[in-house]
Amino acid sequence: MAPTIPTELIAPAFNPATFGKRGAVHEIFRQLRRDYPLAVAEVPGFDPHWIVTRHADLREITRQDRIFHSSDRSKTLASQLAEQLMRQYTGGAPHIFKTLVHMDEPEHTAYRQVTQPQFMPQALEKLDGRLRETARRHVDRMATLGDRCDFATDVAFPYPLEVILDLIGIPRPDHARMLRLTQWLFSYADPDLCRPGASIADPGEIIETWNIVYNEFKEYYDAVIRDRRACPRDDVASLIANGKVNGCPMDERAMISYYVIASTAGHDTTSATTATAMWVLAEDPELLDKLKANPGLVPGFVEESIRWATPVQQFVRSAAEDYVLRGQQIKQGDLLYLSYVSANRDEEVFDDPYEFRPERAPNRHIGFGYGGHVCLGQHLARREMRAFWEELIPRLQSVEMADEGRMTESEFVCGPKSVPIRFQMN
Amino acid sequence: MPEPGRRKWQCRTCSEIYDEAAGLPEYGIAPGTRFEELPDDWVCPMCGTPKSDFDLVAD
């Protein structure tokens, strides 16, 4: 019989508000790794989920997309009501968004190939000059803010937003709208970032918001698609608008969702990681000294900040066949909640996992995922973060927290929403 | 300058590059290790893709 996690231990991990308290989240998963590394959660209102906490188990699952599907059920934690609403809004599909994340093979690879060449290191190398200029401009702007700022909202949000939306080909005056929709989507339950008028206490709110966000993006991108089909440009929007999958036009929901994932996940996770890294720096003056003395540590600093932040908290897979994992019998149809935040603190893989160490080599974090669904934008994210820190660190003389930092209340994509700092730079 | 005769291989899934000249010292693979010398069960360290799904990068 499958071991069951006490509801009082796991239920808080199903509640977005818990994720506003980082320590509480880590404590839940530390206990789970120790006492219930692979066990079933039976939380009222949700179908049972296996909670997968160990790094090795996440890698074993995510390397086997043929067995552990992404498209049959909700790809993220969803209540029974949320799943029912998704099917209602989409005419029977289990997802509001049909992105690469929500696809299985062979569809997934066919869609991925539409934009993959643009995100390969060889293509990104050609953008390095532009990326460096953007990073420098945002660092220059930070220098004009005086000796205090909210690093999250003033710097960490706008910089990655501009990088990806410029690549997609979205005019700068529209960037704020894209940020707002991103926050509604990923922070539907955060009182500061949610959609105005959202009923946070309503268990159906997540899907209500997602459906509105989908329609807002559709309205915006329908015009972009028409424009890029008439006059293709050298941008990602044109690639998607004119992309063919197995020689055919894309499914409409998949095409809109392609734009959605690029214009949301393409910056929000990088912003979360950048804001987290500054939070760490502001609490550890020796770390700044170390990075200033040894700029070669910046890539390791970026990798460790990805592990430390792990913005994507979870994805859910469903088993397409029976499978034995860690000695437990997974049955066909079972749901598996993959905790990336837990895997990236796994004591079996990381020495002193609760210490921030830019020297970790190799850093085996799976912050970008693993297997066939590994993040398409990971090379861009690394390059833009390295460029930013390489520009900022030589100019940053000191930094400390000016007030309490605050995390977003989100059980899906989660990062700091406020990192108030006091700083000196030249 | 790349070492003469050393090649680069790229993962079809995540685009990670295995550079024979650099090896992967942090994973115990010494600089200069040819792709063919990697064990058959070697997988991409970034995404787990099998060795057979790496392509030679053209110069």
Side-chain angles (χ1 to χ4, degrees):
Chain A
M1 200 171 136
T4 304
I5 304 169
T7 303
E8 64 273 19
L9 174 57
I10 189 61
F14 282 34
N15 180 353
T18 306
F19 289 76
K21 303 179 282 275
R22 208 63 184 150
V25 174
H26 284 306
E27 183 53 24
I28 290 169
F29 286 103
R30 192 188 62 75
Q31 284 190 49
L32 290 177
R33 284 194 302 280
R34 186 190 64 199
D35 301 331
Y36 302 94
L38 178 65
V40 174
E42 293 179 343
V43 175
F46 293 80
D47 282 352
H49 286 70
W50 288 94
I51 306 295
V52 186
T53 66
R54 288 288 185 187
H55 186 276
D57 293 348
L58 265 85
R59 295 216 308 188
E60 185 171 340
I61 290 167
T62 52
R63 276 188 68 191
Q64 302 186 84
D65 291 333
R66 189 184 58 76
I67 297 174
F68 299 102
H69 280 189
S70 295
S71 68
D72 301 342
R73 298 286 299 270
S74 175
K75 186 67 191 277
T76 54
L77 183 66
S79 65
Q80 290 156 342
L81 173 64
E83 288 210 286
Q84 182 191 324
L85 286 173
M86 281 193 274
R87 292 187 188 280
Q88 187 182 314
Y89 282 133
T90 60
H95 317 285
I96 293 290
F97 302 99
K98 186 181 175 184
T99 73
L100 297 179
V101 166
H102 303 86
M103 294 178 184
D104 286 309
E105 298 307 339
E107 188 178 40
H108 167 256
T109 296
Y111 273 85
R112 190 173 169 113
Q113 283 170 348
V114 172
T115 59
Q116 185 157 14
Q118 193 69 28
F119 293 99
M120 288 171 74
Q122 295 93 323
L124 295 173
E125 258 176 41
K126 296 175 188 150
L127 297 174
D128 268 349
R130 200 165 112 191
L131 202 57
R132 182 66 60 167
E133 183 277 323
T134 307
R136 195 173 298 134
R137 190 158 33 77
H138 281 264
V139 169
D140 285 344
R141 197 178 146 273
M142 180 175 163
T144 67
L145 297 175
D147 61 355
R148 286 170 80 116
C149 74
D150 187 327
F151 183 81
T153 56
D154 290 332
V155 184
F157 290 0
Y159 167 58
L161 181 78
E162 183 180 313
V163 169
I164 189 65
L165 295 184
D166 280 358
L167 265 182
I168 297 172
I170 301 305
R172 298 255 171 97
D174 296 343
H175 288 195
R177 179 179 179 185
M178 295 287 137
L179 177 60
R180 194 165 59 247
L181 290 175
T182 304
Q183 291 174 333
W184 292 4
L185 171 62
F186 291 139
S187 309
Y188 71 93
D190 184 281
D192 299 318
L193 303 176
C194 68
R195 174 179 66 87
S199 311
I200 293 175
D202 177 352
E205 180 55 49
I206 177 171
I207 305 307
E208 198 68 47
T209 287
W210 285 10
N211 194 46
I212 289 169
V213 168
Y214 176 82
N215 287 320
E216 290 247 352
F217 272 119
K218 181 171 175 349
E219 183 193 335
Y220 183 87
Y221 276 114
D222 275 345
V224 173
I225 292 165
R226 281 195 299 276
D227 175 68
R228 296 309 199 276
R229 283 181 174 164
C231 303
R233 301 183 206 169
D234 182 18
D235 60 22
V236 172
S238 298
L239 284 180
I240 298 172
N242 298 289
K244 293 276 192 292
V245 174
N246 301 321
C248 301
M250 289 187 204
D251 163 275
E252 182 189 81
R253 188 168 287 271
M255 179 176 281
I256 299 300
S257 299
Y258 218 133
Y259 286 111
V260 173
I261 194 169
S263 20
T264 59
H267 60 90
D268 194 77
T269 47
T270 314
S271 294
T273 305
T274 306
T276 299
M278 179 55 91
W279 193 336
V280 172
L281 268 180
E283 290 185 334
D284 183 358
E286 285 179 15
L287 180 57
L288 178 59
D289 292 343
K290 198 191 282 186
L291 291 168
K292 289 173 88 68
N294 182 4
L297 261 184
V298 167
F301 173 70
V302 168
E303 288 307 309
E304 182 69 342
S305 63
I306 298 163
R307 182 186 79 87
W308 200 251
T310 312
V312 176
Q313 308 297 294
Q314 44 90 9
F315 276 127
V316 172
R317 300 278 186 127
S318 59
E321 58 188 64
D322 291 357
Y323 189 87
V324 175
L325 179 69
R326 198 171 279 269
Q328 302 288 344
Q329 180 65 61
I330 310 293
K331 304 290 280 183
Q332 181 183 8
D334 282 359
L335 297 174
L336 300 102
Y337 170 113
L338 312 187
S339 172
Y340 290 87
V341 72
S342 177
N344 281 343
R345 292 290 193 283
D346 189 339
E347 300 81 358
E348 288 179 356
V349 177
F350 303 100
D351 293 335
D352 300 318
Y354 294 95
E355 284 188 19
F356 187 98
R357 290 185 184 170
E359 301 88 352
R360 288 184 196 277
N363 192 329
R364 298 178 192 271
H365 74 78
I366 49 173
F368 289 119
Y370 197 72
H373 280 274
V374 71
C375 176
L376 182 61
Q378 61 167 319
H379 299 289
L380 173 64
R382 285 195 174 95
R383 277 171 190 267
E384 67 186 88
M385 286 191 277
R386 285 177 194 170
F388 177 80
W389 293 111
E390 283 167 2
E391 289 295 324
L392 178 62
I393 284 167
R395 297 177 59 182
L396 189 60
Q397 302 304 306
S398 66
V399 60
E400 60 183 0
M401 294 298 279
D403 206 338
E404 286 289 305
R406 290 188 302 144
M407 296 293 291
T408 305
E409 297 182 17
S410 171
E411 83 294 1
F412 173 26
V413 182
C414 181
K417 62 180 171 184
S418 176
V419 181
I421 56 169
R422 189 178 300 112
F423 63 100
Q424 287 185 309
M425 62 184 287
N426 55 34
Chain B
M1 287 289 288
E3 202 177 326
R6 298 296 174 196
R7 298 161 301 171
K8 292 180 181 177
W9 299 77
Q10 190 157 34
C11 175
R12 277 182 214 159
T13 304
C14 72
S15 306
E16 186 68 14
I17 290 175
Y18 175 71
D19 180 347
E20 293 181 345
L24 287 168
E26 68 273 33
Y27 288 92
I29 300 170
T33 304
R34 290 190 175 278
F35 189 71
E36 292 82 354
E37 293 168 349
L38 298 173
D40 289 344
D41 61 356
W42 181 83
V43 297
C44 174
M46 306 309 289
C47 72
T49 288
K51 183 182 171 185
S52 56
D53 283 352
F54 274 67
D55 297 317
L56 183 62
V57 178
D59 287 333

